[in-house]
Amino acid sequence: MFIRLLSRDIPRYWDLIKQAVKQVDEVEASKFPAYTRELLIALMSDKAQAWIRVNEQREIVLICITRIMYNNQTDEKYLYIQAVYSW
């Protein structure tokens, strides 16, 4: 089952989210604090979405970070999958 985390749930799962993006996204160590700070702000303001998948034992087995993007040239919205990490 996939569950979208609400902005109020982000602090509870923040360590797992940071671990996932550290594994998936290619960010230099010196730029990682700024990168995660921007991600936290985006998640808390609903500009980015965090999804988790749980198994039958209610353990988190997957984290996905998405954003709804807008193309100014075509006036279309699209789903940008920023990161997907599975344990």
Side-chain angles (χ1 to χ4, degrees):
M1 165 178 16
F2 281 94
I3 301 168
R4 179 176 177 223
L5 299 178
L6 300 175
S7 57
R8 68 173 182 253
D9 298 323
I10 298 300
R12 179 176 172 196
Y13 296 100
W14 180 239
D15 288 334
L16 287 175
I17 293 169
K18 275 198 322 188
Q19 178 186 353
V21 297
K22 186 174 186 176
Q23 295 294 322
V24 175
D25 295 339
E26 297 176 0
V27 179
E28 294 177 25
S30 63
K31 296 181 181 178
F32 191 71
Y35 178 80
T36 54
R37 187 172 34 258
E38 186 281 327
L39 178 60
L40 178 59
I41 291 168
L43 288 168
M44 295 296 290
S45 63
D46 290 326
K47 293 181 180 173
Q49 303 80 38
W51 302 82
I52 60 172
R53 183 168 187 263
V54 295
N55 61 15
E56 293 81 23
Q57 293 78 29
R58 305 282 296 163
E59 300 168 329
I60 297 174
V61 295
L62 182 134
I63 289 183
C64 180
I65 306 296
T66 61
R67 295 181 191 240
I68 305 294
M69 306 297 280
Y70 182 74
N71 185 329
N72 290 329
Q73 287 77 29
T74 62
D75 291 329
E76 295 177 331
K77 290 183 181 179
Y78 61 95
L79 180 65
Y80 172 65
I81 300 173
Q82 181 173 335
V84 177
Y85 184 75
S86 180
W87 284 268

